[in-house]
Each structure stands twice: as C-alpha cells, then as structure tokens.
Amino acid sequence: MSLLGLFAAPVGAMMAQSKAMETIGVNLANLNTGGYKRSETNFYTMVAQTYGSNRDIGGVNGITRTLVDQQGQLLGSDSNLDVAINGNGFFVLNTQLDGSGPTYYGRDGMLGMALGDEISTTINGNTVTTREGYLVDKNGYYVQGWPVNADQSTFPTDEGSLGPIRIDPETFTSNGEATTTAEIGLNVPSDAAVGYNESTFIKTFDADGNSTSFQLRWSNIVLGGHTQTMTPTWALPGGEPAGFTETNAVTAYNNRGYEKDFNVTWTKGANPNEWELQVLEGADAQSIDGSGDGTPTSLTVTFDPLTGAITSTPTSVTIQGSGSYDEAFSFDLGSMTEVAAAVGAITQTSIANDGTVASAQENKYSLEVLENGVPLSIDAASADGTPTVLTVNFDGSGRLQSPLNLEIASAGTGPTFTLDISNVTNYASGQLVEKHYDFNGRSNARLDHVTFNDAGEIIGHFADATTRPIYKLPLATFTNPNSLDPINGNVYRLSGTTSEPVIRTAGGQGAGQFVPNAREISNVDMADEFTSMILTQKAYNIGSTSFKTIDEMSQVARDLKR
C-alpha cells in the first residue's frame, strides 16, 4: 500500500462515525415524536484486495437500519380519537378517500377528522349544508377499517372490505334498521312474597330507526283460565208464596284467573211454578234476556209441576262482567229444579265452574309484554284464553325450561322481533335483578362521538344515549418489519425486500392489542443515545488523530526528497 493509501482507513472511519452521529442526532430530535422508530448505525470492514498475508487499501463503512419492530413508549391521552398499538402491527392508511392512492403503514395513533364532501341534512326542520368527516392520521392519510356487519356485532376480516371510516354526526341519520332479535338476562326472585310483580323495560328500533320501548311484567302468580260455563245444581222452594226472593253469590274467574263475584236473585212469580231470575254485578243488573219483552235484566223461568225440571227457554244465559279482564260466560240453568212443597232457603247442592283460579306455583312465573301500557299477544298458540299472558317454567335449580324465546309484534309502528329469554333465572334474590340486554337494529340518531376498545372496535355514542360498534381497525403485520421503507410523517411503505402485509384482527395470530386514549411515542432511549454519542465521538477523534499522523508522515517523506 502506498503512503497516500494510508489515508483511506481514517477518512472512512471519520465518514462512518459522522454517519453514526447523524443517526444519533435524528433519534434524539425525535425523542417525543409519535410513532417514530429509532435507527442505529452499524459498521462493516471494507477490504479492496488481499494477497498472501497482505492486503490493499481497507477501511470501514456504516450502514443504518431502522428498528421498526421495537415497541415505543405509551403515553395517556385525553382525546377519544387517540389509540395506541401495544405489540405487533401497523395502522393501514391510504392517501386517497376512495382508496386509489398508495397504501402506507404507521404506528402513530394520534388520529383526527378530515372533512369530505358537502352533504345536506335537516336539523330542527331546517335544511343545512355540512361536510362529511373521516378518520385520518396526523398526515391526513385516511385510516382504513371494516364497517360492522348487518348483525351489528361482527365484522368482515378480509382486506378487500377495508375502507375509509366516516365519523361525522350525520353518518347514520338515514341508516335506521328495525330490531329483529334481542336477548335479555335477568333473575326473577324465587323467594318473593305471593303476589309479587315487577317490570323491566327493553328498547328496540323500528324500520326508520325510531326507538320503541316494551315493558316486561313478571309476576309469581300463575294466571288461571276464565270461566266459560257455570252450572248450578240448585232446588228452588216451590212451596213459598209469590214474592219470595233470595239472592246468592256466585264466583266466576276472569281471563287472568282472578275471582269475580256476581249475585244471582230468584223471585217467586204470581203464577205457579214461575220464577224471575236476575244477575247483578254489584248493584248493576246484567242484561240476560234477549227476548225483547222490555225487561232485558229479568228472565222468566218455569218448571214442570210434576218433575220440577225446567221447561222454559232459554236454558242458559250469558253473563258479561264490566271489568278489563272479564270474559263472557254461560250460566247454565239445565240443572235447576223446583221442589213443589219445599219452603225455606234455596237448596244449593253444587255449582260447577270450568274456570281455574290464579295462584302462586313453585318454579313458575307469569310474563306479560306491554306496549304503551297495552298487553300484547304473546301466547296465542296455547289457546288457553289468555294470549297476553305467558307461563314461564323453571326447573328446581332455577334454570329456565320453557319457553326459551318469545315472538313480540308491536301493535303500532314498532318492530316484530324474537326475544331470547334463555338467560332468565329463578334464584333467591328478593327482587328482580337485571343482568344484560342486547339487541340488533340501528337508530337514526346523530353520532355524538366515538371511542375505541382494545379490540380496535370503534364504538359510536349517539344522541339518543345508545352505543354500538360501527367500525373495526385492522392490524397489518409483516414477517420482516425492519425492512419497511420509512418516509416523511413517520409512516412506512413496502420496500423491495418487505414481505406482503397480512391483515389481522387485534389480539389474534401474533397481532398486538389496541390501547384506547393513548399514543405511542418513539422507542428512543435517551441514555442509550448519549452513551452511543460518547463512543462515536471517541471513534471519530481516533480516526482524525490517525489522519493527522499519516499527514505528518507524508510531510516527512516529502521533505526527504529535498
């Protein structure tokens, strides 16, 4: 090697260390930069040519690599639009709203809203012009995400379904969808006193996204069936004089199985074997005679003087109470008789009643569904005469046995939907305990704000106080993330040596998790950088000292020629 060739090594050393110092300076300058990934300069030896145990001009060169795969520090944030990635993965970004621009990948979750096209909307009856708003990163690149599926709970997972995320207040104001399924979990107390009843309320949406509320009323009284036919077996005293009268109370059951009392009055007529019948509800006489004889509240009944059997028609009358749950029933006179010589009170042998009384029964509850206070038909299939009341059966351990689902149809403009009650239990709790309620459908309310969860779901908070997932963020992962090409704005693009991205969901298959209300800043460690700075400075000084020494040697050689 010539004397001048000796300069190559120290010059290369100073150039390599200068490059290292530049890398350290950039790292320190970006100490608090969101999403910044530090770089480091490594060195390799350069040898021009070797022969035997000798070598020609040699030296050192620096190569810089970016440590993209190293986690940065997470800092809390007050912004609902800030979200950090803890672990493996990148946000997927596109420079154009329609997705036609280049795709970039980033780690800085300091997100915001960029305005889109103008739209018209109606507020308080007035048509106003506003703008769409889309979720973007700090560079204005559109964050890509999956819109929620029609079931309002799941999301697609393929790359082709990714698109921009619209989050302006008018995003869902014409996106109403009727509720078709709902599921409730609660406990009705097994230790409540007889007659206990309590209600819970559920919310649904109609086809226009308007809210409809239903009341679920639970009672530990199992309702009975209403009286359809009542048959008294009584003997009237034929030996009593005309004008004799006697009133007896009879008990029927309304369509809930609750007792309803009526007074039955028999009055001996002026003609032999003739009686006048009246039925009263309280002080009000019932209309029981449809003969058109001008006395609808009184029916003339005649008996055979020899056998005592009834001979007149009709042989039954219809009684209709005035209560909300009263059902008409037949008062059958076919078993009534008159005993010619008998005097005194009416002989009441028996009275048949085919109704059933409401009562408390172990492991059973009654359920009603009301809309605006009006019971809906939920049990028509049983044909038990109480279509608005359903008996709910539990086993001895408090688990629901039947039914597991209800079909609820609004009487107005509300939805028709299936309510899953399989998670209703019957344990000792003293009172009704609400656990959860979930339902599909969408309101047309204005979007108030959004938040994130650790799965990357964007939760919409609406003006009607409802919340639901509306989008989900993916995570792009790479086999060799350190080979990504960094560009301005702390984002990355594929290089010639980078693997194709794999789009994953958070927490699955090697992808990280999202951290709401947080930001990832740089992965620069200031202490490490200053340590590297000292070492780099020393190495540079040594190179410069070598250069100076060689320069002095060349001057000596030059002077020898003189």
Side-chain angles (χ1 to χ4, degrees), residues 10-21 43 532-548:
V11 169
M14 289 188 291
M15 293 178 63
Q17 299 304 325
S18 295
K19 187 173 186 178
M21 188 62 74
F43 306 98
S532 297
M533 181 185 293
I534 294 170
L535 295 174
T536 300
Q537 181 183 16
K538 288 183 176 180
Y540 185 90
N541 290 339
I542 292 171
S544 64
T545 301
S546 297
F547 184 92
K548 183 177 180 181

Side-chain angles (χ1 to χ4, degrees), residues 195-388:
Y196 168 86
N197 74 84
E198 194 168 353
S199 294
T200 187
F201 293 83
I202 60 175
K203 184 175 185 177
T204 61
F205 297 118
D206 66 17
D208 296 323
N210 299 311
S211 176
T212 303
S213 198
F214 295 90
Q215 176 186 357
L216 306 184
R217 184 161 60 194
W218 301 85
S219 171
N220 63 359
I221 297 294
V222 177
L223 302 187
H226 75 275
T227 298
Q228 301 184 59
T229 303
M230 183 182 293
T231 305
T233 302
W234 295 352
L236 302 178
E240 290 290 345
F244 169 84
T245 185
E246 183 177 331
T247 300
N248 293 288
V250 297
T251 300
Y253 302 112
N254 65 15
N255 66 10
R256 293 172 171 250
Y258 296 144
E259 295 181 349
K260 181 63 177 283
D261 290 334
F262 295 90
N263 291 317
V264 178
T265 300
W266 293 93
T267 302
K268 184 71 180 291
N271 298 321
N273 312 114
E274 181 182 271
W275 293 76
E276 293 297 320
L277 171 65
Q278 281 190 307
V279 180
L280 296 90
E281 180 185 9
D284 298 326
Q286 294 282 302
S287 178
I288 59 174
D289 182 9
S291 66
D293 61 1
T295 58
T297 62
S298 179
L299 178 69
T300 299
V301 182
T302 60
F303 296 89
D304 187 286
L306 297 178
T307 65
I310 188 170
T311 58
S312 61
T313 57
T315 59
S316 67
V317 296
T318 299
I319 300 175
Q320 171 66 66
S322 61
S324 300
Y325 305 111
D326 290 347
E327 297 279 355
F329 65 95
S330 173
F331 192 69
D332 185 357
L333 304 175
S335 295
M336 292 291 299
T337 60
E338 181 192 50
V339 180
V343 294
I346 296 173
T347 301
Q348 302 180 47
T349 303
S350 64
I351 184 167
N353 185 344
D354 62 2
T356 54
V357 65
S359 62
Q361 298 182 32
E362 189 176 6
N363 304 325
K364 290 187 177 182
Y365 257 77
S366 291
L367 171 62
E368 296 174 274
V369 178
L370 299 90
E371 181 181 15
N372 299 321
V374 178
L376 301 177
S377 177
I378 57 173
D379 190 33
S382 69
D384 61 1
T386 57
T388 64

Side-chain angles (χ1 to χ4, degrees), residues 12 15-23 39-46 60-67 482:
M15 293 178 63
Q17 299 304 325
S18 295
K19 187 173 186 178
M21 188 62 74
E22 177 187 7
T23 300
S39 298
E40 66 178 16
T41 300
N42 295 307
F43 306 98
Y44 65 91
T45 301
M46 296 189 301
V60 65
N61 198 3
I63 182 171
T64 301
R65 63 174 182 174
T66 303
L67 303 177
N482 288 344

Side-chain angles (χ1 to χ4, degrees), residues 32-281:
N32 293 317
T33 301
Y36 175 79
K37 298 299 181 179
R38 75 181 186 91
S39 298
E40 66 178 16
T41 300
N42 295 307
F43 306 98
Y44 65 91
T45 301
M46 296 189 301
V47 179
Q49 185 176 359
T50 61
Y51 46 95
S53 59
N54 300 309
R55 60 184 179 185
D56 202 346
I57 298 173
V60 65
N61 198 3
I63 182 171
T64 301
R65 63 174 182 174
T66 303
L67 303 177
V68 180
D69 61 349
Q70 291 188 1
Q71 177 72 42
Q73 182 182 357
L74 301 185
L75 294 181
S77 169
D78 293 330
S79 173
N80 287 332
L81 293 183
D82 285 352
V83 58
I85 300 171
N86 186 21
N88 192 22
F90 297 81
F91 296 104
V92 181
L93 312 168
N94 197 283
T95 61
Q96 299 298 319
L97 178 59
D98 61 4
S100 62
T103 298
Y104 296 142
Y105 306 92
R107 293 276 300 191
D108 190 359
M110 186 180 71
L111 307 180
M113 185 193 296
L115 297 180
D117 296 336
E118 287 190 350
I119 55 173
S120 295
T121 187
T122 301
I123 300 178
N124 298 327
N126 300 313
T127 300
V128 298
T129 299
T130 182
R131 302 277 293 274
E132 294 177 344
Y134 292 89
L135 192 67
V136 295
D137 78 340
K138 64 186 179 184
N139 304 295
Y141 300 149
Y142 295 93
V143 180
Q144 304 294 291
W146 291 300
V148 69
N149 288 325
D151 62 8
Q152 302 301 301
S153 60
T154 63
F155 296 85
T157 57
D158 62 293
E159 187 173 0
S161 298
L162 292 175
I165 297 173
R166 184 180 167 190
I167 55 171
D168 62 89
E170 310 304 324
T171 303
F172 300 97
T173 51
S174 42
N175 196 29
E177 185 176 286
T179 297
T180 58
T181 60
E183 189 267 332
I184 191 169
L186 54 83
N187 182 72
V188 290
S190 63
D191 55 347
V194 174
Y196 168 86
N197 74 84
E198 194 168 353
S199 294
T200 187
F201 293 83
I202 60 175
K203 184 175 185 177
T204 61
F205 297 118
D206 66 17
D208 296 323
N210 299 311
S211 176
T212 303
S213 198
F214 295 90
Q215 176 186 357
L216 306 184
R217 184 161 60 194
W218 301 85
S219 171
N220 63 359
I221 297 294
V222 177
L223 302 187
H226 75 275
T227 298
Q228 301 184 59
T229 303
M230 183 182 293
T231 305
T233 302
W234 295 352
L236 302 178
E240 290 290 345
F244 169 84
T245 185
E246 183 177 331
T247 300
N248 293 288
V250 297
T251 300
Y253 302 112
N254 65 15
N255 66 10
R256 293 172 171 250
Y258 296 144
E259 295 181 349
K260 181 63 177 283
D261 290 334
F262 295 90
N263 291 317
V264 178
T265 300
W266 293 93
T267 302
K268 184 71 180 291
N271 298 321
N273 312 114
E274 181 182 271
W275 293 76
E276 293 297 320
L277 171 65
Q278 281 190 307
V279 180
L280 296 90
E281 180 185 9

